[in-house]
Amino acid sequence: MKLITWNCQGAFRKKAAQILLQRPDILVIPECEHPDKLVFNSTTPRPNDLLWVGDNVHKGLGVFSYGDYKFQLHEQHNADLKIILPIAVTGGQFDFTLFAIWANNREDPDGQYVEQIWKAVHHYDHLLTHEPAILTGDFNSNTIWDRPRRKGNHSAVVDKLAEKNIHSVYHGHLSQEQGKENDPTFYLYRNKEKPYHLDYCFTSAELYHKVKEVEIGKYEQWINYSDHTPLMVNFGEDRKST
């Protein structure tokens, strides 16, 4: 299974063909326009399944299946955690709960970014404790911005997930340290001199050990399409043609 998350910075219909060249089985797209706006053709095939959520038809969160995987929004979904979707994923060689994330809820006075993930980790405690899980997307956070007196900062989220034996595959497989990442996933104003690591894929132990390859897209290849580059994780299963 190849899982890709990429904040496309809007207008996904103009960029879908580029990311689909990477042949994802599951694609998580923050800042994705409503699927009704997408154009499906020979270079942008229709997905086998999809979910989308958002208040703005131009920028929501889209999740697409280009393999045999089927999606069902989990019955425990908390609509107050607006753009964090718990999805029951079935139909592949293993079932799991996918938490597709775009940490961006401007209406929450407690915090609109990583604080949303902090709340989700607690709200979905049972799912994260008892079921194989993947959390992936644009976290809009990094430990370099930790506010020490803020209960739900980035490091607190990482530590809380670690208590459940859930870890970042990029940091683990490429021997990286939180806050000192060698590979940016975001360039402020698309400026190569302003790089940050904001996009993540965390998995529970039984899935973490299935990871075969982790790759971050290169600035030169992606900057004409978005201020983010994709995070690509190969779990070592063959992608079936669609």
Side-chain angles (χ1 to χ4, degrees), residues 117-136:
I117 305 171
W118 175 254
K119 289 183 177 183
V121 169
H122 288 78
H123 178 77
Y124 298 116
D125 178 78
H126 181 80
L127 292 178
L128 292 168
T129 302
H130 298 288
E131 298 184 13
I134 296 175
L135 301 88
T136 193

Side-chain angles (χ1 to χ4, degrees), residues 83-129:
I83 315 187
I84 299 177
L85 295 182
I87 302 168
V89 180
T90 59
Q93 293 190 19
F94 54 88
D95 298 343
F96 61 96
T97 301
L98 171 66
F99 290 86
I101 295 171
W102 178 28
N104 182 22
N105 183 359
R106 298 180 185 277
E107 298 178 5
D108 193 331
D110 294 330
Q112 59 184 291
Y113 296 130
V114 71
E115 297 85 2
Q116 297 294 297
I117 305 171
W118 175 254
K119 289 183 177 183
V121 169
H122 288 78
H123 178 77
Y124 298 116
D125 178 78
H126 181 80
L127 292 178
L128 292 168
T129 302

Side-chain angles (χ1 to χ4, degrees), residues 133 135 158-159 161-173 178 201-205 208:
L135 301 88
V158 172
D159 291 344
L161 289 172
E163 291 176 8
K164 302 177 184 300
N165 207 9
I166 297 173
H167 301 279
S168 165
V169 297
Y170 166 80
H171 294 83
H173 283 261
Q178 293 282 345
C201 178
F202 286 77
T203 78
S204 51
Y208 185 90

